Amino acid sequence: MTTTDNTGSSPLDVEIGSLQGGPADLSQYAGTAVLVVNVASKCGLTPQYAGLEKLQERYAGRGFTVLGVPCNQFLGQEPGSAEEIAEFCSATYGVTFPMTEKVEVNGENRHPLYDRLTGFADAEGHSGDIRWNFEKFLIGRDGRVVARFSPQTEPESAEVVAAIEAQLA
């Protein structure tokens, strides 16, 4: 199973903007385990922000971060501006993990970050297009995708926690 795109490059090699503006500089996460999650503020799965923040608090000191990637492609469930998204995440869920600019995760305008993620299959064998908000990809300390989890998989589920801990061991 391949863990990078056809160029052999890590997802952390792409350029993407920060939610606050300017570059997000994903290279700063080299040597870190990163859980990349396409997020939305007006989705039935939005309460997963709480679990994502708990993972951030629990593992940040051990070389881990969550990376939230806002996306408005699923029923327009992330319609806000960067400022509105940041305010919602901070005020509602106390989010401290980094967030990128809003991007498209599917289709002809799919961001290169997701070009490098979507080839990886989850435990059920699904690869390709993102199915919904809150699909999760774990990038290991070596910069390669090591796990993919469906949108319905809770951030603090046993399988997500085990995958993170395996990368931090």
Side-chain angles (χ1 to χ4, degrees):
M1 178 181 309
T2 184
T3 56
T4 56
D5 70 355
N6 57 12
T7 68
S9 299
S10 168
L12 300 178
D13 293 337
V14 302
E15 293 182 13
I16 190 168
S18 163
L19 187 63
Q20 294 77 23
D25 186 22
L26 300 185
S27 66
Q28 69 183 303
Y29 304 117
T32 301
V34 181
L35 188 68
V36 180
V37 186
N38 61 302
V39 296
S41 302
K42 300 185 181 304
C43 174
L45 300 176
T46 299
Q48 286 190 23
Y49 267 122
L52 293 170
E53 181 58 25
K54 286 181 184 173
L55 291 175
Q56 180 73 17
E57 292 168 5
R58 182 174 176 187
Y59 295 113
R62 293 179 56 196
F64 169 82
T65 192
V66 172
L67 179 65
V69 183
C71 176
N72 194 39
Q73 282 189 287
F74 303 100
L75 296 180
Q77 294 180 342
E78 187 57 277
S81 67
E83 296 77 19
E84 290 166 335
I85 294 167
E87 174 61 26
F88 171 82
C89 291
S90 175
T92 309
Y93 293 102
V95 167
T96 62
F97 54 81
M99 302 272 286
T100 71
E101 66 185 325
K102 189 171 11 178
V103 302
E104 291 189 14
V105 298
N106 289 334
E108 65 181 42
N109 294 319
R110 179 191 335 248
H111 191 278
L113 173 62
Y114 278 86
D115 282 339
R116 295 186 182 185
L117 294 172
T118 56
F120 194 87
D122 65 15
E124 290 77 44
H126 174 82
S127 64
D129 280 353
I130 301 301
R131 293 165 284 194
W132 200 252
N133 301 308
F134 292 90
E135 192 144 349
K136 301 154 199 74
F137 293 86
L138 181 61
I139 300 172
R141 289 181 182 245
D142 64 358
R144 296 181 178 275
V145 180
V146 295
R148 180 176 183 167
F149 304 98
S150 78
Q152 293 77 21
T153 302
E154 290 290 331
E156 294 182 284
S157 68
E159 61 263 41
V160 174
V161 168
I164 292 168
E165 289 184 350
Q167 293 304 307
L168 301 180

